[in-house]
Each structure stands twice: as C-alpha cells, then as structure tokens.
Amino acid sequence: MIKGFKEFILRGNVIDLAVAVVIGAAFTGIVNILVTAFINPLIGLVFQTGDLDQALVVEVPTLLGGVSVFSFGAIIGAVINFLAVATVVYFVFVMPMNHWKKRQEARAGATTEPAADPVPTEQELLVQIRDLLATQGRAEGQPRQ
C-alpha cells in the first residue's frame, strides 16, 4: 500500500502538477493585484465605478416581490482575471519551456522519424498472398486456376 503511494508521488507528472499549482497560486496573487490596482480603475473610468463588482449590476424583481441581483461586472472581472493569469503563465513558463525542450532535442540529435506506412488491411494482405501464390504456381509449371 505504501509502496504504491510512493511510486505515485514520485512520478514526474505528479511533481510537475504540484509545482504548477504552487506557481499558479503565486501568480494569481500578482494578477489579482494587477487587476485590482490597474484594470479595475480603467474600467471604472468607463462605467463610473471603482470596482468591477459594482459595475453592470442589474436588479430584477422576483415573483414574490423581492429582487434578484445579477453582477455582470463581477463576471467580467473574473474572466479578465483568468485571461491575465493564463497569459502570464503561457508567456513566462510554457513558451520558454517549449523553446528549451526543442533546443535540448536538437542538441541530443533527436529527430522525428517519418510516419510509418499504414498497415495493410486484411483484404489487401489476402490479395497479395493470392498474387504471390499465382506467380509461384506459374513458375513451377502448374496450371493457373
């Protein structure tokens, strides 16, 4: 039981995932500050509000006389936040790592092999066998059937 857990934890993918989660959490904090301190005030200029959470708020009366509040500004803020985090992670981590991997493969002389010929179907194999048997039969002097 512990041996299986140890093998699972020591796999490269699990460690890579753990590192990605930690780095993603750290960048989320940075991007949240960027959105709060820079992007929100820019949007506030357009919508006359200091925060996206208060922008584009729509109140809809309910059937029982209450009010439902839809905060479209908060949704837009969450989308902007996600896109900012994804952009930073891509350009700071993914793109340089892909470039580094390509350079390592080029140094190692690893080249991609061309795709192998497709495997013939069963019918194509039977036709080839029939043709071979027919040519062998003619070569040995047997009559053709």
Side-chain angles (χ1 to χ4, degrees), residues 43 47 49 51-58 70-74 76:
I43 293 175
F47 295 108
T49 183
D51 189 6
L52 281 175
D53 291 341
Q54 284 105 30
L56 296 172
V57 176
V58 177
F70 294 95
S71 299
F72 292 108
I76 293 170

Side-chain angles (χ1 to χ4, degrees), residues 30-45 50 80:
I30 293 170
V31 171
N32 283 336
I33 293 298
L34 178 69
V35 168
T36 303
F38 183 70
I39 294 175
N40 280 350
L42 288 176
I43 293 175
L45 291 173
I80 290 171

Side-chain angles (χ1 to χ4, degrees), residues 68-123:
S68 269
V69 178
F70 294 95
S71 299
F72 292 108
I75 295 169
I76 293 170
V79 169
I80 290 171
N81 198 356
F82 169 77
L83 291 175
V85 169
T87 302
V88 168
V89 168
Y90 179 76
F91 285 109
V92 172
F93 294 105
V94 175
M95 206 166 83
M97 185 58 75
N98 288 342
H99 180 70
W100 180 77
K101 283 181 181 179
K102 285 180 185 177
R103 289 183 63 198
Q104 292 299 321
E105 288 174 0
R107 281 188 191 158
T111 58
T112 56
E113 296 181 15
D117 293 333
V119 179
T121 64
E122 185 176 335
Q123 185 177 5

Side-chain angles (χ1 to χ4, degrees), residues 19 30 60 99 120 144:
V19 169
I30 293 170
V60 178
H99 180 70
R144 192 171 163 196

